[in-house]
Amino acid sequence: MEITILGIESSCDDTSAAVIRDGVLLSNVIASQAVHAEYGGVIPELASRAHGQNIVPVVDAALKRAGVTPEQVDGIAVTRGPGLLGSLLVGVSFAKGFAIAQNTPLMEVNHLQGHILAHFVTRPDDPNKPKPKFPFLCLLVSGGNSQIVLVRDYLDMEIIGSTIDDAAGEAFDKCAKVMGLPYPGGPLIDKLAQEGDPKAFKFAKPTVGGFDYSFSGLKTSFLYFLRDHVAEEPDFIEQHKADLCASLQVTIIDILMNKLIKAAKQYDITEIALAGGVSANSGLRAALATAGEKYGWATYVPPINLTTDNAAMIAITGYYKYLREEFAGLDMAPAARAADL
């Protein structure tokens, strides 16, 4: 029997809907919100309003592109959290209404687990793309999260390392802001880094126990570094922007990879994956490939269009929950923090 799942993602500033049938992606529609760029970051109230405007046309487009009617949907999966509460509320409310109207099961999805399970979405244009084998380690890096996750099965995951303050994505964006780069800064740093010398400047790497991360100190030291040099040379940032980006990027990547290598050795696991928005970073992808060759890892990176917030990853997570009949009640409420899920 074919199982068709509609996925809804609205955790931050992207409204997305996707349709998956038996794990195969039929459509994945994303409406981004450009309004936040002029503010240098996401404004929660503006984000939730935009979700309210986008949710119906985005779902309608996803269903039409998939060639699926609402009556043919077997279950609806929605991001419960973590994320912006107002944004999550739009998606959860829509999903509940859809579930009632179509009398279909509702599945709540942890946004972070969705990023990891994006690896198991089968795309028609690349149906034979290898998927991670259990157990595997996943380095999950996004705007608000930096984690090392031990994945034993589709829905059996354990966080073995996490950031104690800023995440890697926040470090990229905040350092980009002090250099005068527009939001989001991470992709621009990646682009400029390819033109610079990663050895031009040396930045301190924080020391944190276990497999945890810390990027707050790096961000602060970068700010002081720029302040001191700009005081002596006012156009220092403009003159050295590419080298600054290259040196900053390699520092962040080294911090991420050092803990991942340590975890892989301790757990004796050679199946290693990346996930999350920062997994689109070209330097991080190259570093994973290099480590894979050195340590004999089988490495996996998601396609670029599945690294950002998207409903395909929500739909595939919902698919595995549907198979196990892990359904949510209509009293399910969105949760802004991962600890509340």
Side-chain angles (χ1 to χ4, degrees):
M1 181 183 71
E2 292 181 333
I3 298 173
T4 302
I5 303 295
L6 171 64
I8 305 290
E9 156 62 20
S10 67
S11 64
C12 190
D13 61 338
D14 288 325
T15 312
S16 182
V19 179
I20 280 182
R21 177 171 290 154
D22 293 337
V24 178
L25 184 62
L26 303 184
S27 67
N28 188 31
V29 178
I30 302 174
S32 299
Q33 302 172 7
V35 65
H36 305 287
E38 61 183 291
Y39 298 101
V42 177
I43 307 300
E45 180 63 24
L46 295 179
S48 58
R49 290 181 183 181
H51 283 303
Q53 295 171 340
N54 294 336
I55 188 72
V56 172
V58 165
V59 171
D60 182 62
L63 290 171
K64 288 179 177 176
R65 292 183 190 180
V68 171
T69 65
E71 294 75 19
Q72 292 174 311
V73 173
D74 296 300
I76 182 166
V78 63
T79 302
R80 183 188 171 201
L84 302 176
L85 195 58
S87 296
L88 292 166
L89 187 60
V90 174
V92 169
S93 298
F94 180 91
K96 287 182 179 180
F98 188 97
I100 293 171
Q102 299 301 323
N103 192 29
T104 58
L106 175 68
M107 287 80 70
E108 64 175 72
V109 174
N110 181 318
H111 176 85
L112 303 179
Q113 289 186 345
H115 271 303
I116 295 172
L117 292 183
H119 283 281
F120 296 94
V121 175
T122 298
R123 296 182 302 152
D125 61 330
D126 192 10
N128 298 317
K129 180 179 173 60
K131 297 175 173 61
K133 300 178 183 63
F134 301 115
F136 68 91
L137 289 178
C138 184
L139 175 60
L140 173 58
V141 274
S142 65
N145 296 277
S146 293
Q147 300 177 342
I148 299 177
V149 183
L150 173 60
V151 186
R152 299 185 180 90
D153 201 353
Y154 299 110
L155 302 175
D156 183 2
M157 305 181 190
E158 178 187 355
I159 298 172
I160 61 173
S162 184
T163 182
I164 62 173
D165 42 56
D166 283 353
E170 290 173 315
F172 274 123
D173 287 341
K174 290 176 181 179
C175 290
K177 189 171 184 178
V178 299
M179 286 191 287
L181 297 177
Y183 176 86
L188 292 175
I189 287 180
D190 187 18
K191 182 178 179 180
L192 289 168
Q194 296 176 44
E195 305 169 6
D197 178 7
K199 298 181 180 179
F201 304 104
K202 193 169 185 178
F203 303 115
K205 299 174 184 177
T207 302
V208 182
F211 304 126
D212 288 337
Y213 290 111
S214 171
F215 291 98
S216 180
L218 171 62
K219 174 201 66 180
T220 303
S221 65
F222 185 77
L223 174 61
Y224 287 146
F225 176 88
L226 292 184
R227 183 197 63 181
D228 293 343
H229 281 78
V230 169
E232 299 176 1
E233 186 182 345
D235 61 347
F236 175 80
I237 294 177
E238 196 59 39
Q239 291 288 333
H240 302 281
K241 190 170 289 184
D243 288 343
L244 285 167
C245 289
S247 300
L248 175 67
Q249 176 158 292
V250 77
T251 301
I252 293 176
I253 290 172
D254 283 349
I255 295 170
L256 290 170
M257 290 301 301
N258 286 342
K259 290 296 180 78
L260 180 61
I261 292 168
K262 181 180 176 181
K265 289 180 178 178
Q266 180 163 320
Y267 282 85
D268 192 23
I269 290 178
T270 57
E271 295 279 316
I272 312 292
L274 289 181
V278 183
S279 69
N281 182 278
S282 63
L284 182 57
R285 287 176 172 238
L288 181 71
T290 299
E293 294 177 1
K294 181 177 180 179
Y295 298 105
W297 294 348
T299 60
Y300 306 88
V301 294
I304 295 297
N305 65 343
L306 294 185
T307 58
T308 56
D309 294 346
N310 66 89
M313 67 186 196
I314 305 304
I316 193 66
T317 307
Y319 171 70
Y320 291 117
K321 289 203 165 193
Y322 184 96
L323 293 177
R324 299 185 184 188
E325 298 185 356
E326 293 186 13
F327 303 139
L330 292 175
D331 59 346
M332 179 262 290
R337 301 186 308 162
D340 295 329
L341 293 172

PDB file of all heavy atoms in Angstrom, residues 256-293:
ATOM      1  N   LEU A 256      34.679  22.366  14.682  1.00  0.00           N
ATOM      2  CA  LEU A 256      33.631  21.372  14.442  1.00  0.00           C
ATOM      3  C   LEU A 256      34.215  19.986  14.171  1.00  0.00           C
ATOM      4  O   LEU A 256      33.786  18.985  14.743  1.00  0.00           O
ATOM      5  CB  LEU A 256      32.769  21.804  13.254  1.00  0.00           C
ATOM      6  CG  LEU A 256      31.860  23.014  13.462  1.00  0.00           C
ATOM      7  CD1 LEU A 256      31.274  23.463  12.120  1.00  0.00           C
ATOM      8  CD2 LEU A 256      30.730  22.697  14.438  1.00  0.00           C
ATOM      9  N   MET A 257      35.215  19.929  13.308  1.00  0.00           N
ATOM     10  CA  MET A 257      35.756  18.643  12.879  1.00  0.00           C
ATOM     11  C   MET A 257      36.559  17.957  13.978  1.00  0.00           C
ATOM     12  O   MET A 257      36.539  16.722  14.086  1.00  0.00           O
ATOM     13  CB  MET A 257      36.619  18.831  11.628  1.00  0.00           C
ATOM     14  CG  MET A 257      35.832  19.187  10.371  1.00  0.00           C
ATOM     15  SD  MET A 257      34.584  17.938   9.934  1.00  0.00           S
ATOM     16  CE  MET A 257      35.605  16.480   9.739  1.00  0.00           C
ATOM     17  N   ASN A 258      37.262  18.721  14.800  1.00  0.00           N
ATOM     18  CA  ASN A 258      38.079  18.100  15.848  1.00  0.00           C
ATOM     19  C   ASN A 258      37.221  17.279  16.811  1.00  0.00           C
ATOM     20  O   ASN A 258      37.587  16.163  17.202  1.00  0.00           O
ATOM     21  CB  ASN A 258      38.858  19.170  16.615  1.00  0.00           C
ATOM     22  CG  ASN A 258      40.020  19.734  15.814  1.00  0.00           C
ATOM     23  OD1 ASN A 258      40.458  19.133  14.836  1.00  0.00           O
ATOM     24  ND2 ASN A 258      40.511  20.900  16.206  1.00  0.00           N
ATOM     25  N   LYS A 259      36.077  17.816  17.191  1.00  0.00           N
ATOM     26  CA  LYS A 259      35.181  17.088  18.096  1.00  0.00           C
ATOM     27  C   LYS A 259      34.535  15.899  17.380  1.00  0.00           C
ATOM     28  O   LYS A 259      34.316  14.839  17.974  1.00  0.00           O
ATOM     29  CB  LYS A 259      34.108  18.033  18.653  1.00  0.00           C
ATOM     30  CG  LYS A 259      34.654  19.057  19.647  1.00  0.00           C
ATOM     31  CD  LYS A 259      35.205  18.368  20.897  1.00  0.00           C
ATOM     32  CE  LYS A 259      35.757  19.371  21.904  1.00  0.00           C
ATOM     33  NZ  LYS A 259      34.727  20.035  22.684  1.00  0.00           N
ATOM     34  N   LEU A 260      34.201  16.077  16.107  1.00  0.00           N
ATOM     35  CA  LEU A 260      33.592  14.980  15.351  1.00  0.00           C
ATOM     36  C   LEU A 260      34.567  13.811  15.216  1.00  0.00           C
ATOM     37  O   LEU A 260      34.191  12.644  15.385  1.00  0.00           O
ATOM     38  CB  LEU A 260      33.159  15.473  13.968  1.00  0.00           C
ATOM     39  CG  LEU A 260      32.506  14.444  13.052  1.00  0.00           C
ATOM     40  CD1 LEU A 260      31.217  13.902  13.668  1.00  0.00           C
ATOM     41  CD2 LEU A 260      32.220  15.042  11.676  1.00  0.00           C
ATOM     42  N   ILE A 261      35.813  14.110  14.931  1.00  0.00           N
ATOM     43  CA  ILE A 261      36.846  13.068  14.819  1.00  0.00           C
ATOM     44  C   ILE A 261      37.017  12.345  16.149  1.00  0.00           C
ATOM     45  O   ILE A 261      37.110  11.113  16.210  1.00  0.00           O
ATOM     46  CB  ILE A 261      38.179  13.688  14.353  1.00  0.00           C
ATOM     47  CG1 ILE A 261      38.057  14.180  12.905  1.00  0.00           C
ATOM     48  CG2 ILE A 261      39.325  12.681  14.482  1.00  0.00           C
ATOM     49  CD1 ILE A 261      39.215  15.047  12.449  1.00  0.00           C
ATOM     50  N   LYS A 262      37.028  13.115  17.231  1.00  0.00           N
ATOM     51  CA  LYS A 262      37.158  12.540  18.578  1.00  0.00           C
ATOM     52  C   LYS A 262      36.001  11.601  18.885  1.00  0.00           C
ATOM     53  O   LYS A 262      36.192  10.494  19.409  1.00  0.00           O
ATOM     54  CB  LYS A 262      37.212  13.678  19.596  1.00  0.00           C
ATOM     55  CG  LYS A 262      37.370  13.226  21.041  1.00  0.00           C
ATOM     56  CD  LYS A 262      37.413  14.437  21.968  1.00  0.00           C
ATOM     57  CE  LYS A 262      37.479  14.013  23.431  1.00  0.00           C
ATOM     58  NZ  LYS A 262      37.486  15.201  24.346  1.00  0.00           N
ATOM     59  N   ALA A 263      34.783  12.029  18.528  1.00  0.00           N
ATOM     60  CA  ALA A 263      33.598  11.207  18.786  1.00  0.00           C
ATOM     61  C   ALA A 263      33.614   9.927  17.952  1.00  0.00           C
ATOM     62  O   ALA A 263      33.268   8.844  18.440  1.00  0.00           O
ATOM     63  CB  ALA A 263      32.334  12.005  18.500  1.00  0.00           C
ATOM     64  N   ALA A 264      34.005  10.048  16.687  1.00  0.00           N
ATOM     65  CA  ALA A 264      34.043   8.881  15.801  1.00  0.00           C
ATOM     66  C   ALA A 264      35.023   7.830  16.327  1.00  0.00           C
ATOM     67  O   ALA A 264      34.747   6.622  16.277  1.00  0.00           O
ATOM     68  CB  ALA A 264      34.427   9.313  14.390  1.00  0.00           C
ATOM     69  N   LYS A 265      36.153   8.288  16.860  1.00  0.00           N
ATOM     70  CA  LYS A 265      37.139   7.350  17.411  1.00  0.00           C
ATOM     71  C   LYS A 265      36.610   6.682  18.671  1.00  0.00           C
ATOM     72  O   LYS A 265      36.750   5.466  18.840  1.00  0.00           O
ATOM     73  CB  LYS A 265      38.440   8.104  17.706  1.00  0.00           C
ATOM     74  CG  LYS A 265      39.218   8.528  16.467  1.00  0.00           C
ATOM     75  CD  LYS A 265      40.486   9.265  16.854  1.00  0.00           C
ATOM     76  CE  LYS A 265      41.289   9.645  15.609  1.00  0.00           C
ATOM     77  NZ  LYS A 265      42.530  10.410  15.963  1.00  0.00           N
ATOM     78  N   GLN A 266      36.010   7.467  19.558  1.00  0.00           N
ATOM     79  CA  GLN A 266      35.554   6.905  20.823  1.00  0.00           C
ATOM     80  C   GLN A 266      34.413   5.915  20.625  1.00  0.00           C
ATOM     81  O   GLN A 266      34.350   4.884  21.299  1.00  0.00           O
ATOM     82  CB  GLN A 266      35.096   8.021  21.769  1.00  0.00           C
ATOM     83  CG  GLN A 266      34.611   7.500  23.122  1.00  0.00           C
ATOM     84  CD  GLN A 266      34.543   8.571  24.169  1.00  0.00           C
ATOM     85  OE1 GLN A 266      35.426   9.435  24.251  1.00  0.00           O
ATOM     86  NE2 GLN A 266      33.510   8.547  24.998  1.00  0.00           N
ATOM     87  N   TYR A 267      33.503   6.204  19.700  1.00  0.00           N
ATOM     88  CA  TYR A 267      32.360   5.322  19.461  1.00  0.00           C
ATOM     89  C   TYR A 267      32.648   4.268  18.394  1.00  0.00           C
ATOM     90  O   TYR A 267      31.798   3.423  18.123  1.00  0.00           O
ATOM     91  CB  TYR A 267      31.133   6.146  19.060  1.00  0.00           C
ATOM     92  CG  TYR A 267      30.455   6.821  20.237  1.00  0.00           C
ATOM     93  CD1 TYR A 267      30.896   8.055  20.694  1.00  0.00           C
ATOM     94  CD2 TYR A 267      29.399   6.213  20.904  1.00  0.00           C
ATOM     95  CE1 TYR A 267      30.294   8.687  21.775  1.00  0.00           C
ATOM     96  CE2 TYR A 267      28.785   6.831  21.987  1.00  0.00           C
ATOM     97  CZ  TYR A 267      29.240   8.061  22.421  1.00  0.00           C
ATOM     98  OH  TYR A 267      28.643   8.674  23.498  1.00  0.00           O
ATOM     99  N   ASP A 268      33.836   4.342  17.793  1.00  0.00           N
ATOM    100  CA  ASP A 268      34.254   3.380  16.765  1.00  0.00           C
ATOM    101  C   ASP A 268      33.204   3.295  15.649  1.00  0.00           C
ATOM    102  O   ASP A 268      32.740   2.208  15.275  1.00  0.00           O
ATOM    103  CB  ASP A 268      34.480   1.999  17.385  1.00  0.00           C
ATOM    104  CG  ASP A 268      35.195   1.049  16.424  1.00  0.00           C
ATOM    105  OD1 ASP A 268      35.887   1.544  15.513  1.00  0.00           O
ATOM    106  OD2 ASP A 268      35.032  -0.173  16.562  1.00  0.00           O
ATOM    107  N   ILE A 269      32.832   4.457  15.133  1.00  0.00           N
ATOM    108  CA  ILE A 269      31.842   4.552  14.051  1.00  0.00           C
ATOM    109  C   ILE A 269      32.501   5.194  12.829  1.00  0.00           C
ATOM    110  O   ILE A 269      33.207   6.199  12.950  1.00  0.00           O
ATOM    111  CB  ILE A 269      30.619   5.376  14.503  1.00  0.00           C
ATOM    112  CG1 ILE A 269      29.827   4.589  15.549  1.00  0.00           C
ATOM    113  CG2 ILE A 269      29.723   5.731  13.321  1.00  0.00           C
ATOM    114  CD1 ILE A 269      28.632   5.337  16.101  1.00  0.00           C
ATOM    115  N   THR A 270      32.260   4.605  11.674  1.00  0.00           N
ATOM    116  CA  THR A 270      32.854   5.137  10.439  1.00  0.00           C
ATOM    117  C   THR A 270      31.801   5.624   9.448  1.00  0.00           C
ATOM    118  O   THR A 270      32.136   5.986   8.327  1.00  0.00           O
ATOM    119  CB  THR A 270      33.732   4.067   9.758  1.00  0.00           C
ATOM    120  OG1 THR A 270      32.938   2.895   9.495  1.00  0.00           O
ATOM    121  CG2 THR A 270      34.916   3.698  10.637  1.00  0.00           C
ATOM    122  N   GLU A 271      30.546   5.605   9.849  1.00  0.00           N
ATOM    123  CA  GLU A 271      29.469   6.185   9.035  1.00  0.00           C
ATOM    124  C   GLU A 271      29.209   7.591   9.576  1.00  0.00           C
ATOM    125  O   GLU A 271      28.713   7.759  10.693  1.00  0.00           O
ATOM    126  CB  GLU A 271      28.199   5.337   9.129  1.00  0.00           C
ATOM    127  CG  GLU A 271      28.324   3.943   8.548  1.00  0.00           C
ATOM    128  CD  GLU A 271      28.155   3.941   7.036  1.00  0.00           C
ATOM    129  OE1 GLU A 271      27.233   4.619   6.543  1.00  0.00           O
ATOM    130  OE2 GLU A 271      28.936   3.248   6.360  1.00  0.00           O
ATOM    131  N   ILE A 272      29.542   8.610   8.793  1.00  0.00           N
ATOM    132  CA  ILE A 272      29.518   9.991   9.283  1.00  0.00           C
ATOM    133  C   ILE A 272      28.730  10.877   8.316  1.00  0.00           C
ATOM    134  O   ILE A 272      28.974  10.858   7.108  1.00  0.00           O
ATOM    135  CB  ILE A 272      30.939  10.562   9.442  1.00  0.00           C
ATOM    136  CG1 ILE A 272      31.848   9.576  10.186  1.00  0.00           C
ATOM    137  CG2 ILE A 272      30.886  11.921  10.117  1.00  0.00           C
ATOM    138  CD1 ILE A 272      31.496   9.373  11.636  1.00  0.00           C
ATOM    139  N   ALA A 273      27.808  11.679   8.866  1.00  0.00           N
ATOM    140  CA  ALA A 273      26.964  12.532   8.040  1.00  0.00           C
ATOM    141  C   ALA A 273      26.988  13.977   8.527  1.00  0.00           C
ATOM    142  O   ALA A 273      27.271  14.248   9.697  1.00  0.00           O
ATOM    143  CB  ALA A 273      25.526  12.012   8.040  1.00  0.00           C
ATOM    144  N   LEU A 274      26.667  14.882   7.624  1.00  0.00           N
ATOM    145  CA  LEU A 274      26.445  16.288   7.952  1.00  0.00           C
ATOM    146  C   LEU A 274      24.962  16.583   7.781  1.00  0.00           C
ATOM    147  O   LEU A 274      24.277  15.963   6.973  1.00  0.00           O
ATOM    148  CB  LEU A 274      27.228  17.213   7.016  1.00  0.00           C
ATOM    149  CG  LEU A 274      28.744  17.298   7.138  1.00  0.00           C
ATOM    150  CD1 LEU A 274      29.271  18.302   6.120  1.00  0.00           C
ATOM    151  CD2 LEU A 274      29.160  17.703   8.543  1.00  0.00           C
ATOM    152  N   ALA A 275      24.468  17.591   8.514  1.00  0.00           N
ATOM    153  CA  ALA A 275      23.081  18.019   8.340  1.00  0.00           C
ATOM    154  C   ALA A 275      22.946  19.452   8.839  1.00  0.00           C
ATOM    155  O   ALA A 275      23.792  19.951   9.578  1.00  0.00           O
ATOM    156  CB  ALA A 275      22.122  17.097   9.095  1.00  0.00           C
ATOM    157  N   GLY A 276      21.866  20.116   8.433  1.00  0.00           N
ATOM    158  CA  GLY A 276      21.609  21.481   8.862  1.00  0.00           C
ATOM    159  C   GLY A 276      22.085  22.508   7.851  1.00  0.00           C
ATOM    160  O   GLY A 276      22.813  22.189   6.900  1.00  0.00           O
ATOM    161  N   GLY A 277      21.673  23.748   8.063  1.00  0.00           N
ATOM    162  CA  GLY A 277      21.973  24.808   7.105  1.00  0.00           C
ATOM    163  C   GLY A 277      23.447  25.009   6.834  1.00  0.00           C
ATOM    164  O   GLY A 277      23.863  25.256   5.691  1.00  0.00           O
ATOM    165  N   VAL A 278      24.284  24.899   7.871  1.00  0.00           N
ATOM    166  CA  VAL A 278      25.718  25.121   7.700  1.00  0.00           C
ATOM    167  C   VAL A 278      26.372  23.966   6.955  1.00  0.00           C
ATOM    168  O   VAL A 278      27.501  24.075   6.480  1.00  0.00           O
ATOM    169  CB  VAL A 278      26.395  25.367   9.066  1.00  0.00           C
ATOM    170  CG1 VAL A 278      27.884  25.668   8.910  1.00  0.00           C
ATOM    171  CG2 VAL A 278      25.729  26.543   9.778  1.00  0.00           C
ATOM    172  N   SER A 279      25.674  22.845   6.802  1.00  0.00           N
ATOM    173  CA  SER A 279      26.237  21.724   6.034  1.00  0.00           C
ATOM    174  C   SER A 279      26.353  22.061   4.554  1.00  0.00           C
ATOM    175  O   SER A 279      26.958  21.305   3.789  1.00  0.00           O
ATOM    176  CB  SER A 279      25.399  20.453   6.228  1.00  0.00           C
ATOM    177  OG  SER A 279      24.129  20.574   5.620  1.00  0.00           O
ATOM    178  N   ALA A 280      25.792  23.210   4.144  1.00  0.00           N
ATOM    179  CA  ALA A 280      25.960  23.665   2.756  1.00  0.00           C
ATOM    180  C   ALA A 280      27.305  24.351   2.557  1.00  0.00           C
ATOM    181  O   ALA A 280      27.714  24.599   1.412  1.00  0.00           O
ATOM    182  CB  ALA A 280      24.831  24.631   2.392  1.00  0.00           C
ATOM    183  N   ASN A 281      28.000  24.651   3.653  1.00  0.00           N
ATOM    184  CA  ASN A 281      29.285  25.347   3.565  1.00  0.00           C
ATOM    185  C   ASN A 281      30.305  24.502   2.806  1.00  0.00           C
ATOM    186  O   ASN A 281      30.555  23.339   3.162  1.00  0.00           O
ATOM    187  CB  ASN A 281      29.793  25.649   4.983  1.00  0.00           C
ATOM    188  CG  ASN A 281      31.093  26.419   4.992  1.00  0.00           C
ATOM    189  OD1 ASN A 281      32.156  25.826   4.845  1.00  0.00           O
ATOM    190  ND2 ASN A 281      31.010  27.718   5.186  1.00  0.00           N
ATOM    191  N   SER A 282      30.907  25.080   1.788  1.00  0.00           N
ATOM    192  CA  SER A 282      31.819  24.318   0.918  1.00  0.00           C
ATOM    193  C   SER A 282      33.068  23.871   1.667  1.00  0.00           C
ATOM    194  O   SER A 282      33.591  22.777   1.437  1.00  0.00           O
ATOM    195  CB  SER A 282      32.214  25.150  -0.303  1.00  0.00           C
ATOM    196  OG  SER A 282      32.922  26.316   0.086  1.00  0.00           O
ATOM    197  N   GLY A 283      33.546  24.706   2.586  1.00  0.00           N
ATOM    198  CA  GLY A 283      34.731  24.340   3.349  1.00  0.00           C
ATOM    199  C   GLY A 283      34.471  23.176   4.285  1.00  0.00           C
ATOM    200  O   GLY A 283      35.316  22.286   4.428  1.00  0.00           O
ATOM    201  N   LEU A 284      33.310  23.152   4.911  1.00  0.00           N
ATOM    202  CA  LEU A 284      32.964  22.062   5.817  1.00  0.00           C
ATOM    203  C   LEU A 284      32.787  20.761   5.041  1.00  0.00           C
ATOM    204  O   LEU A 284      33.214  19.687   5.497  1.00  0.00           O
ATOM    205  CB  LEU A 284      31.694  22.403   6.589  1.00  0.00           C
ATOM    206  CG  LEU A 284      31.218  21.375   7.621  1.00  0.00           C
ATOM    207  CD1 LEU A 284      32.305  21.084   8.643  1.00  0.00           C
ATOM    208  CD2 LEU A 284      29.955  21.864   8.318  1.00  0.00           C
ATOM    209  N   ARG A 285      32.168  20.846   3.885  1.00  0.00           N
ATOM    210  CA  ARG A 285      32.002  19.651   3.052  1.00  0.00           C
ATOM    211  C   ARG A 285      33.351  19.083   2.628  1.00  0.00           C
ATOM    212  O   ARG A 285      33.568  17.871   2.632  1.00  0.00           O
ATOM    213  CB  ARG A 285      31.145  19.975   1.828  1.00  0.00           C
ATOM    214  CG  ARG A 285      29.669  20.164   2.161  1.00  0.00           C
ATOM    215  CD  ARG A 285      28.854  20.575   0.952  1.00  0.00           C
ATOM    216  NE  ARG A 285      27.435  20.540   1.307  1.00  0.00           N
ATOM    217  CZ  ARG A 285      26.504  19.820   0.697  1.00  0.00           C
ATOM    218  NH1 ARG A 285      26.831  19.064  -0.332  1.00  0.00           N
ATOM    219  NH2 ARG A 285      25.253  19.839   1.100  1.00  0.00           N
ATOM    220  N   ALA A 286      34.262  19.982   2.265  1.00  0.00           N
ATOM    221  CA  ALA A 286      35.597  19.541   1.849  1.00  0.00           C
ATOM    222  C   ALA A 286      36.353  18.927   3.026  1.00  0.00           C
ATOM    223  O   ALA A 286      37.051  17.919   2.876  1.00  0.00           O
ATOM    224  CB  ALA A 286      36.378  20.717   1.277  1.00  0.00           C
ATOM    225  N   ALA A 287      36.192  19.528   4.215  1.00  0.00           N
ATOM    226  CA  ALA A 287      36.868  19.005   5.402  1.00  0.00           C
ATOM    227  C   ALA A 287      36.359  17.615   5.753  1.00  0.00           C
ATOM    228  O   ALA A 287      37.129  16.737   6.163  1.00  0.00           O
ATOM    229  CB  ALA A 287      36.669  19.961   6.582  1.00  0.00           C
ATOM    230  N   LEU A 288      35.048  17.391   5.596  1.00  0.00           N
ATOM    231  CA  LEU A 288      34.489  16.061   5.873  1.00  0.00           C
ATOM    232  C   LEU A 288      35.038  15.034   4.887  1.00  0.00           C
ATOM    233  O   LEU A 288      35.400  13.918   5.276  1.00  0.00           O
ATOM    234  CB  LEU A 288      32.967  16.099   5.786  1.00  0.00           C
ATOM    235  CG  LEU A 288      32.286  14.761   6.085  1.00  0.00           C
ATOM    236  CD1 LEU A 288      32.391  14.414   7.567  1.00  0.00           C
ATOM    237  CD2 LEU A 288      30.819  14.784   5.661  1.00  0.00           C
ATOM    238  N   ALA A 289      35.126  15.422   3.618  1.00  0.00           N
ATOM    239  CA  ALA A 289      35.651  14.501   2.604  1.00  0.00           C
ATOM    240  C   ALA A 289      37.106  14.148   2.893  1.00  0.00           C
ATOM    241  O   ALA A 289      37.516  12.979   2.774  1.00  0.00           O
ATOM    242  CB  ALA A 289      35.521  15.135   1.218  1.00  0.00           C
ATOM    243  N   THR A 290      37.888  15.141   3.296  1.00  0.00           N
ATOM    244  CA  THR A 290      39.302  14.907   3.622  1.00  0.00           C
ATOM    245  C   THR A 290      39.441  13.970   4.820  1.00  0.00           C
ATOM    246  O   THR A 290      40.247  13.035   4.809  1.00  0.00           O
ATOM    247  CB  THR A 290      40.009  16.245   3.921  1.00  0.00           C
ATOM    248  OG1 THR A 290      39.938  17.083   2.766  1.00  0.00           O
ATOM    249  CG2 THR A 290      41.455  16.016   4.291  1.00  0.00           C
ATOM    250  N   ALA A 291      38.622  14.222   5.861  1.00  0.00           N
ATOM    251  CA  ALA A 291      38.657  13.357   7.040  1.00  0.00           C
ATOM    252  C   ALA A 291      38.200  11.950   6.687  1.00  0.00           C
ATOM    253  O   ALA A 291      38.734  10.959   7.211  1.00  0.00           O
ATOM    254  CB  ALA A 291      37.775  13.942   8.141  1.00  0.00           C
ATOM    255  N   GLY A 292      37.222  11.856   5.793  1.00  0.00           N
ATOM    256  CA  GLY A 292      36.734  10.547   5.368  1.00  0.00           C
ATOM    257  C   GLY A 292      37.829   9.713   4.730  1.00  0.00           C
ATOM    258  O   GLY A 292      37.962   8.509   5.007  1.00  0.00           O
ATOM    259  N   GLU A 293      38.622  10.349   3.883  1.00  0.00           N
ATOM    260  CA  GLU A 293      39.724   9.644   3.235  1.00  0.00           C
ATOM    261  C   GLU A 293      40.800   9.247   4.244  1.00  0.00           C
ATOM    262  O   GLU A 293      41.376   8.157   4.168  1.00  0.00           O
ATOM    263  CB  GLU A 293      40.328  10.533   2.141  1.00  0.00           C
ATOM    264  CG  GLU A 293      39.384  10.801   0.972  1.00  0.00           C
ATOM    265  CD  GLU A 293      39.997  11.741  -0.043  1.00  0.00           C
ATOM    266  OE1 GLU A 293      41.164  12.166   0.154  1.00  0.00           O
ATOM    267  OE2 GLU A 293      39.321  12.052  -1.044  1.00  0.00           O
TER     268      GLU A 293
END
